[in-house]
Amino acid sequence: FFFFFLMIRRPPRSTHCISSAASDVYKRQIVYVDRFINAKKIYLTLHEMHRVILAASLLAMKFYFDDPYNNKTFSRIGGITLEELNELEANFLIEIDYN
């Protein structure tokens, strides 16, 4: 997950608040992915990792923002159906034992 850390850089002063929140979202996303992989004790293929990262991104955005993108938008961004994303989100929460 080293490439996620490369995406987190100190922003210019004018966008510090927005970038700080985005940085927090990336960090939360990494935590969620790590919890999922440790809970499942498996290795993921690129196809599976795509869906795990998409679900982790969705949940991290929902955690930090009052008005995040909706699931329909995330499904379009991720290239999967809305039904599949809803199922991924529910299963992801169960697997990481989210309270």
Side-chain angles (χ1 to χ4, degrees), residues 50-51 54 71-81 85:
H50 166 260
R51 283 162 167 68
L54 187 63
N71 286 16
K72 187 174 184 178
T73 302
F74 259 90
S75 69
R76 287 181 184 162
I77 292 169
I80 62 174
T81 65
L85 182 61

Side-chain angles (χ1 to χ4, degrees), residues 7-92:
M7 296 169 30
I8 302 171
R9 289 179 275 158
R10 184 156 195 90
R13 288 180 186 245
S14 62
T15 60
H16 181 69
C17 283
I18 295 170
S19 295
S20 177
S23 176
D24 291 341
V25 169
Y26 287 130
K27 291 174 189 174
R28 174 67 56 178
Q29 177 184 0
I30 292 167
V31 168
Y32 287 158
V33 170
D34 185 55
R35 284 184 189 173
F36 180 83
I37 291 172
N38 287 331
K40 296 291 276 183
K41 303 275 190 233
I42 58 170
Y43 292 99
L44 299 173
T45 66
L46 288 177
H47 184 294
E48 295 162 338
M49 184 55 88
H50 166 260
R51 283 162 167 68
V52 168
I53 290 174
L54 187 63
S57 300
L58 174 66
L59 294 172
M61 290 281 290
K62 286 183 176 183
F63 182 84
Y64 277 104
F65 296 109
D66 293 332
D67 189 23
Y69 293 118
N70 60 26
N71 286 16
K72 187 174 184 178
T73 302
F74 259 90
S75 69
R76 287 181 184 162
I77 292 169
I80 62 174
T81 65
L82 178 59
E83 293 77 21
E84 185 177 5
L85 182 61
N86 291 337
E87 187 177 330
L88 277 171
E89 181 181 14
N91 290 334
F92 195 92

